[in-house]
Amino acid sequence: HYTDLLSFKKGAARLISQNEIEINAGPLDKEVVWAENIILATGSRPRYLPELPIDEKIVMTSDGIENLDDFPESMVIVGAGVAGPVLAMFLQRLGIESIVCEARPAVDTQGAFLGIAPNGMNVLAELGLDRALRESSFAADGFRFVNARGEQVGTIDNRRDQQRFGARLMMVKRAELHR
């Protein structure tokens, strides 16, 4: 059973250290979770299509996967945005065949950049995908956040992680992930 490998937590979360996340699931339900590696995957929400009824048993969203007791031998993933191919790679690592389908005739070349953290680059290296990503991205030492007036409101310095994990923070335009 793959449920022994995965743990799903719901709630408002915040990083409290490099290896800890505090999850607030309600007024009296706070939990701190420790992990050697943390993947931040934000902004993804299932998209419901009228021609594809969701029953969360056979046809499911990414939200429904957490209810599986066991994974099937193969899965079809609808959507080749960022989440679809990432899910396909994850399933491949578990030995599950997957096919990614996309309705759009062409990949949208617009969109923001994604930052791949040094430990994420190491995961991509294990998958054999780091070289292709390095060819279409650029290295950065961190992030600088500014408000609408251009005033700096925060920073993330990634140089310690670069030293710890032996890889650089890489910035890649979303459209490059589809090439």
Side-chain angles (χ1 to χ4, degrees):
H1 283 270
Y2 295 106
T3 53
D4 297 337
L5 301 173
L6 306 172
S7 178
F8 291 92
K9 308 283 183 179
K10 290 187 178 182
R14 69 183 184 99
L15 287 169
I16 57 176
S17 76
Q18 183 171 328
N19 298 99
E20 294 176 300
I21 298 174
E22 180 183 80
I23 302 170
N24 186 349
L28 302 174
D29 190 5
K30 232 180 231 186
E31 177 182 7
V32 174
V33 177
W34 186 94
E36 184 174 334
N37 296 298
I38 296 171
I39 298 173
L40 297 178
T42 61
S44 177
R45 289 189 181 90
R47 181 174 174 201
Y48 296 91
L49 306 171
E51 62 274 8
L52 187 63
I54 307 294
D55 63 6
E56 297 295 4
K57 291 179 179 63
I58 302 297
V59 178
M60 63 186 65
T61 66
S62 53
D63 291 342
I65 289 176
E66 67 186 80
N67 297 321
L68 288 175
D69 291 327
D70 201 5
F71 283 100
E73 291 180 20
S74 63
M75 294 180 94
V76 173
I77 301 166
V78 178
V82 172
V86 169
L87 178 58
M89 286 189 301
F90 172 74
L91 293 172
Q92 179 183 6
R93 294 283 290 200
L94 295 176
I96 299 167
E97 182 182 342
S98 64
I99 298 171
V100 180
C101 300
E102 175 58 54
R104 295 178 295 168
V107 175
D108 188 0
T109 58
Q110 302 300 311
F113 283 85
L114 298 173
I116 312 296
N119 54 342
M121 289 302 297
N122 290 338
V123 170
L124 291 174
E126 286 182 32
L127 295 170
L129 300 172
D130 60 321
R131 185 181 319 213
L133 183 70
R134 287 181 204 283
E135 291 172 2
S136 60
S137 61
F138 62 91
D141 288 329
F143 299 95
R144 183 174 156 255
F145 301 96
V146 296
N147 62 20
R149 295 184 300 274
E151 301 164 335
Q152 183 171 308
V153 295
T155 62
I156 296 176
D157 186 339
N158 213 244
R159 289 176 287 195
R160 270 192 14 216
D161 283 348
Q162 291 172 13
Q163 291 173 347
R164 179 175 179 214
F165 294 106
R168 303 267 328 255
L169 166 68
M170 301 301 289
M171 302 300 296
V172 62
K173 191 168 184 177
R174 241 181 117 146
E176 292 295 324
L177 297 175
H178 295 282
R179 295 186 193 271

